[in-house]
Amino acid sequence: VSAKVRKQSSNTGFIVALAGIIIAGGGFIWWKTQSTPAQETLVLPSVADSALAQKAHGYTMGSPTAAVEIIEFADFECPACGNFATITEPDVRKNLVETGLARYTFYDFPLLNAHQNTVPASMSAACADDQGKFWPMHDMIFTGQVEWNGIATSNPRKVLAGYAEKLGLDMPKWNGCMDAGTHTERIKANYSLGMMKQVNSTPTFYVNGEKMQGAANYDDIKAAVDAVIAGLRPISAGADSAPAAAPKP
């Protein structure tokens, strides 16, 4: 009798152990699909690609006939970019863009070596743009940067989806766009344009094609815009800079 009991106990233990392995394996697969950064499927060019750069498509606010164009290359996870977006950019919008003096164009420049969640953020903003909500998503991403960055989570998608819901986006459409990586080529093209223009850090600004040196505050940008309007700088954007090597974080 005791041998029979031991056999039943052994079978029960084996079944319990097998069930535990199955559950653990399923849990790992779910975790992996939820936490795998999107940039693992995105390969950025290591050298400037002029053909790809020609496909760059930034996000612009302001009058298309404004005499001045301010261009920003930025990484959504970059702390300095977040500071600019939340502290300085509101003044740029109010005093320069909304008054018709300038238009403002944002290009993605993700630094994958430094920021593991930056691509999902760029994709989220691009997918929001499909529904006319790039700038509101841009603002929420930068304002909530500490909620979804690589320090805070390995699964930024959940936080970004919360922003999409708050903006009233069509969630099946937004989720489908995110799942398919619909705007991968757009992000790569924007990045390649930055390389053509010798961007090597974020944020980097250009005013009518002229690169601004160092960290730009509102007064610096305002002075550059005033100089264009006064005729001290050309209105045309001019030719792209020579190709640059891949930037270092």
Side-chain angles (χ1 to χ4, degrees):
V1 176
S2 60
K4 183 177 181 181
V5 171
R6 283 197 301 271
K7 184 177 181 180
Q8 290 176 338
S9 177
S10 176
N11 289 341
T12 300
F14 173 76
I15 293 172
V16 171
L18 181 61
I21 291 171
I22 293 172
I23 292 171
F28 173 78
I29 293 172
W30 177 87
W31 171 84
K32 188 65 175 174
T33 59
Q34 294 297 310
S35 63
T36 301
Q39 60 260 43
E40 288 188 8
T41 61
L42 186 149
V43 178
L44 294 174
S46 58
V47 296
D49 182 334
S50 59
L52 184 58
Q54 290 178 2
K55 300 177 182 178
H57 183 190
Y59 307 90
T60 301
M61 68 165 70
S63 172
T65 61
V68 183
E69 181 175 37
I70 303 166
I71 291 176
E72 177 188 12
F73 288 90
D75 176 314
F76 275 111
E77 197 172 346
C78 152
C81 300
N83 288 337
F84 178 86
T86 56
I87 297 172
T88 304
E89 190 174 315
D91 287 334
V92 173
R93 294 185 189 185
K94 179 180 178 180
N95 299 324
L96 302 178
V97 177
E98 293 176 9
T99 58
L101 294 177
R103 62 187 181 276
Y104 193 96
T105 301
F106 177 99
Y107 288 98
D108 312 273
F109 198 78
L111 301 175
L112 301 189
N113 291 337
H115 302 136
Q116 69 179 35
N117 292 344
T118 185
V119 170
S122 281
M123 193 68 68
S124 176
C127 292
D129 184 58
D130 289 342
Q131 301 185 45
K133 293 290 182 72
F134 170 81
W135 289 106
M137 178 62 83
H138 163 284
D139 295 349
M140 293 191 78
I141 288 173
F142 275 126
T143 299
Q145 194 178 68
V146 297
E147 300 172 343
W148 60 265
N149 65 19
I151 296 174
T153 181
S154 61
N155 180 21
R157 174 72 172 267
K158 181 178 180 180
V159 179
L160 296 170
Y163 297 161
E165 289 178 346
K166 288 181 180 178
L167 292 174
L169 298 185
D170 178 329
M171 291 306 295
K173 183 177 180 180
W174 182 87
N175 278 312
C177 177
M178 293 289 288
D179 292 340
T182 300
H183 298 292
T184 295
E185 290 304 308
R186 182 177 190 175
I187 295 169
K188 290 169 64 175
N190 289 351
Y191 177 86
S192 194
L193 178 62
M195 293 190 71
M196 290 292 296
K197 289 182 171 293
Q198 298 185 313
V199 173
N200 52 27
S201 63
T202 55
T204 292
F205 298 92
Y206 291 80
V207 176
N208 277 26
E210 184 169 335
K211 185 177 182 180
M212 298 188 68
Q213 300 300 321
N217 56 37
Y218 172 75
D219 290 338
D220 295 332
I221 294 175
K222 176 65 163 56
V225 170
D226 287 344
V228 172
I229 293 173
L232 301 180
R233 290 184 182 176
I235 290 179
S236 62
D240 289 336
S241 302
K248 297 180 179 179

